[in-house]
Amino acid sequence: VLPPDKSLFAMLPKAEAARLARVAAVLGADRAALDRLEPWLAEVMLGAAAYRRAGADADSGVEKALAATAPPGARRRALETPAEQIGIFDRGPLAEQLASLAETVRELDENPDAYRELIAAWLAGDVDGLDQQALEPMRKATPGLFRRLVTERNARWARELDARLKGRGRTVVVVGVGHLVGEGGLPERLRALGYSVSGP
């Protein structure tokens, strides 16, 4: 949350603040609540609202579906903690947070069907389309965030997966689509380590 004397809308140029207000109204996001949030959290809030509006349901996600079919004795581990995930955004410079928010608001305003298009690309196995929709806007608008959120995590996770694959047993790993496509994605990194990878 921003300090009491700060306002998210006041941090933005007038045109961007107006666009944020317009998108928030369409998505049913509370303007007063948004105004109190740091830019990264406002962006997360708007993204969640857009996903819900498009029919996305967290209870129907891949991770929950797979967890429901896992054997009772399956051991569960995470690649990182929630605090680490939040820190990726929260530690970002304010200018970067504002740029990322502006890009997301622009996308939501200009292409309200983006989420459905992303799902369609996934179902079609359109790797290039997924890269262009899920990663390219972030690469251009906020390269620092892209490095922390995608590149550095992929490198760290590839090391962890390499260690696991050298062990025994069967492992199921669930990651977001942005980690499966594009240059430096997990499949590419695992192939570079000598593993046979089918898929993207």
Side-chain angles (χ1 to χ4, degrees), residues 98-172:
L98 289 168
S100 185
L101 173 63
E103 176 61 21
T104 293
V105 171
R106 184 194 65 75
E107 291 173 11
L108 291 171
D109 189 34
E110 294 179 1
N111 186 8
D113 291 325
Y115 179 73
R116 290 186 182 93
E117 291 172 5
L118 187 67
I119 296 297
W122 172 259
L123 291 172
D126 181 1
V127 176
D128 290 336
L130 288 168
D131 183 59
Q132 287 300 309
Q133 291 178 56
L135 299 179
E136 188 60 21
M138 190 190 324
R139 267 193 212 102
K140 286 184 177 177
T142 53
L145 178 60
F146 180 83
R147 177 181 44 77
R148 293 193 314 278
L149 189 63
V150 180
T151 308
E152 291 176 359
R153 292 166 88 202
N154 285 350
R156 186 171 67 249
W157 294 353
R159 290 191 296 272
E160 292 186 41
L161 294 175
D162 182 36
R164 179 67 186 108
L165 289 166
K166 288 175 178 169
R168 299 178 59 191
R170 180 175 296 176
T171 301
V172 175

Side-chain angles (χ1 to χ4, degrees), residues 28-145:
D30 184 88
R31 178 181 171 142
L34 270 179
D35 197 39
R36 301 300 316 128
L37 301 179
E38 291 184 5
W40 72 268
L41 188 53
E43 182 178 358
V44 169
M45 182 177 164
L46 289 171
Y51 294 153
R52 284 192 303 273
R53 188 166 189 258
D57 175 13
D59 289 331
S60 302
V62 172
E63 191 172 348
K64 285 202 175 186
L66 287 175
T69 64
R75 194 171 59 151
R76 291 176 172 87
R77 294 188 309 163
L79 291 168
E80 57 199 10
T81 67
E84 288 171 327
Q85 292 177 341
I86 290 170
I88 292 170
F89 298 99
D90 190 46
R91 288 192 304 270
L94 181 60
E96 178 186 84
Q97 291 185 36
L98 289 168
S100 185
L101 173 63
E103 176 61 21
T104 293
V105 171
R106 184 194 65 75
E107 291 173 11
L108 291 171
D109 189 34
E110 294 179 1
N111 186 8
D113 291 325
Y115 179 73
R116 290 186 182 93
E117 291 172 5
L118 187 67
I119 296 297
W122 172 259
L123 291 172
D126 181 1
V127 176
D128 290 336
L130 288 168
D131 183 59
Q132 287 300 309
Q133 291 178 56
L135 299 179
E136 188 60 21
M138 190 190 324
R139 267 193 212 102
K140 286 184 177 177
T142 53
L145 178 60

